[in-house]
Amino acid sequence: MADEFDPNNQKKLDSEDRKRLLSPRNTLKTLGYQTDDSMADIGCGIGLFTFQAAEIGGENAKIYAIDISELMLSEVKKRAEIAGYKNIVPLKSEEYDFKLENESVDFVLICTVLHEIEDKSRFLQEAARICRKGGKISVIEFNEKSTDFGPPLQHRINRENVGEMLFDSGFKLVDNLDIGESFYAVTASK
């Protein structure tokens, strides 16, 4: 990975600032995530978006919390059990193998992960593989401006590049929007 997040810093992923800046519930609805949609939260961390998706999706929606870190996934599993979510499936993956069947999810979310990936094209092709025809993908990344948080400026990706990479991976660009002042999302369909 280019700039991999240290799983021992997981408390940063659950900070009130991060929740306020990303507003997971509102963001998912704005991105088009709907009731009964299955979802793959790629690089889920400790589940900031996973749990909101489980609530919005309802009991019939499978929410795959996918991460390469056992530490992160054990936290998701523990929180899911405490909260009583039965539709969350923690799944240990490899960087370029998400361990799901072809075309198995309606919605793929990649939040603040793509900048960490060395071979972004290969990573997005794997996302395309698991996304159903007619399904959606949303990539959320840091804006290209200096902030007190997030990756260094030189590791950030501009939204046009994300759109081009999604198009090259077999997606059709649907939308490009700001999420507050610090993030943007590029959403595409398959």
Side-chain angles (χ1 to χ4, degrees):
M1 286 192 161
D3 184 31
E4 187 174 341
F5 182 81
D6 181 354
N8 294 311
N9 291 330
Q10 66 178 265
K11 285 186 180 184
K12 288 181 178 181
L13 300 177
D14 202 29
S15 74
E16 289 306 313
D17 277 348
R18 185 170 168 82
K19 289 176 188 174
R20 180 182 51 76
L21 290 168
L22 284 168
S23 186
R25 183 177 187 79
N26 292 337
T27 297
L28 283 171
K29 287 185 170 191
T30 299
L31 297 175
Y33 180 70
Q34 302 174 40
T35 302
D36 293 333
D37 279 355
S38 57
M39 184 174 115
D41 185 358
I42 310 296
C44 65
I46 58 175
L48 183 65
F49 281 88
T50 302
F51 293 102
Q52 293 302 314
E55 194 171 302
I56 294 167
E59 62 187 40
N60 294 328
K62 279 258 199 262
I63 312 301
Y64 297 98
I66 300 173
D67 209 290
I68 61 172
S69 167
E70 282 288 353
L71 186 62
M72 299 288 192
L73 292 172
S74 66
E75 184 67 19
V76 169
K77 184 177 181 183
K78 180 177 86 175
R79 290 177 181 207
E81 287 172 0
I82 290 169
Y85 287 112
K86 306 247 187 270
N87 59 343
I88 295 175
V89 180
L91 194 58
K92 173 118 173 48
S93 70
E94 302 298 322
E95 190 168 357
Y96 305 110
D97 180 0
F98 301 150
K99 306 296 182 185
L100 288 173
E101 297 293 320
N102 292 346
E103 299 186 0
S104 56
V105 296
D106 300 304
F107 195 93
V108 177
L109 178 70
I110 302 172
C111 182
T112 63
V113 171
L114 193 60
H115 69 272
E116 297 180 358
I117 304 301
E118 193 70 41
D119 188 343
K120 292 168 181 45
S121 176
R122 184 174 171 198
F123 187 83
L124 291 174
Q125 287 170 3
E126 175 64 0
R129 183 189 67 77
I130 66 167
C131 188
R132 288 192 178 116
K133 293 219 185 292
K136 286 186 176 178
I137 185 170
S138 288
V139 177
I140 299 172
E141 275 297 335
F142 296 89
N143 280 325
E144 284 187 291
K145 65 178 187 176
S146 188
T147 57
D148 294 337
F149 57 90
L153 200 52
Q154 68 269 22
H155 289 263
R156 298 182 185 207
I157 314 165
N158 75 49
R159 62 183 79 207
E160 290 78 20
N161 285 351
V162 171
E164 288 170 12
M165 287 186 278
L166 286 171
F167 183 78
D168 291 345
S169 298
F171 291 99
K172 297 175 194 139
L173 192 60
V174 173
D175 207 358
N176 180 328
L177 54 106
D178 290 317
I179 299 175
E181 296 178 10
S182 303
F183 303 91
Y184 66 86
V186 178
T187 301
S189 66
K190 186 171 172 192

